Amino acid sequence: GQQLNQSPQSMFIQEGEDVSMNCTSSSIFNTWLWYKQEPGEGPVLLIALYKAGELTSNGRLTAQFGITRKDSFLNISASIPSDVGIYFCAGRRDNYGQNFVFGPGTRLSVLP
Amino acid sequence: EAQVTQNPRYLITVTGKKLTVTCSQNMNHEYMSWYRQDPGLGLRQIYYSMNVEVTDKGDVPEGYKVSRKEKRNFPLILESPSPNQTSLYFCASRIGTVYNSPLHFGNGTRLTVT
């Protein structure tokens, strides 16, 4: 099936640093979603993107829908300890399609 | 509170013993789906349902069954579990008729098959 690639796989950063991660696909997607998962919990939606080029912020988080429609990135500014978790991207090829494809995740660790 | 509820949260069973993991949502969502999560593989879709009595296979349906008799419930059935079905399972739902409705996830069920 379709696959999404996420990079980096994991990252260790100092508290206060900015973080950037991305998600790429060989196929075009019409929807990109970013989720965060903490231990023992289900994924929680952070940002949803529905148009190529769209740039959306949610507090310290900013995500963009790539112009080629084959990628998306997520930035976190001024990281704090509670940003720790696994960040997943998810894509959907058509607007009313029901199947989202998920990336393998980026594991973020924040050092005090 | 709007939520997706899965039960049980943890389950240990033996090979071949039928089990059911329940999923219920209180948001009147048409679309419901089951995923399994394994290290390094992300979330892979098992089955999904567009509405009552409408179900379809996802990417990894082998060894699983589902049913959708009511809008709010979408149980996952393992008729004869095997060790390779040891995984973390998530149920999710969304509004099926609106394109910009994202998936909402339950808190997961960790299944171990020995």
Side-chain angles (χ1 to χ4, degrees), chain B residues 1 6 10 20 32 35 39 56 68 75 81 84 89 92 96 109-110:
Chain B
E1 181 189 349
Q6 295 178 228
Y10 301 91
T20 299
M32 298 185 75
Y35 291 84
D56 212 340
R68 189 86 183 275
N84 65 9
Y89 291 86
T109 295
R110 186 169 290 282

Side-chain angles (χ1 to χ4, degrees), chain B residues 10-39:
Chain B
Y10 301 91
L11 181 58
I12 301 174
T13 190
V14 296
T15 298
K17 186 175 181 183
K18 181 179 178 180
L19 66 91
T20 299
V21 184
T22 64
C23 174
S24 179
Q25 50 91 7
N26 62 0
M27 296 170 279
N28 202 36
H29 286 171
E30 295 85 3
Y31 177 86
M32 298 185 75
S33 182
W34 276 102
Y35 291 84
R36 61 178 288 174
Q37 184 178 27
D38 301 290

Side-chain angles (χ1 to χ4, degrees), chain A residues 12-81:
Chain A
F12 293 81
I13 59 167
Q14 292 290 139
E15 184 176 354
E17 287 184 1
D18 296 343
V19 173
S20 184
M21 59 188 79
N22 68 22
C23 187
T24 59
S25 170
S26 56
S27 304
I28 288 174
F29 284 89
N30 282 337
T31 297
W32 288 97
L33 306 176
W34 284 94
Y35 286 86
K36 179 188 176 189
Q37 184 180 22
E38 299 185 21
E41 308 284 336
V44 173
L45 181 70
L46 299 174
I47 292 179
L49 302 160
Y50 298 102
K51 288 197 306 191
E54 183 179 355
L55 183 72
T56 297
S57 292
N58 178 7
R60 293 178 296 106
L61 277 59
T62 302
Q64 184 157 29
F65 191 141
I67 284 290
T68 65
R69 292 158 65 194
K70 293 183 177 181
D71 61 353
S72 176
F73 72 74
L74 175 71
N75 285 346
I76 306 173
S77 62
S79 58
I80 59 178

Side-chain angles (χ1 to χ4, degrees), chain A residues 35 37 40 88 92 98-99, chain B residues 9 31 37 94 99 103:
Chain A
Y35 286 86
Q37 184 180 22
F88 291 99
R92 183 177 62 181
Q98 299 296 347
N99 292 349
Chain B
R9 290 294 307 273
Y31 177 86
Q37 184 178 27
R94 61 185 290 271
Y99 83 90
L103 282 168

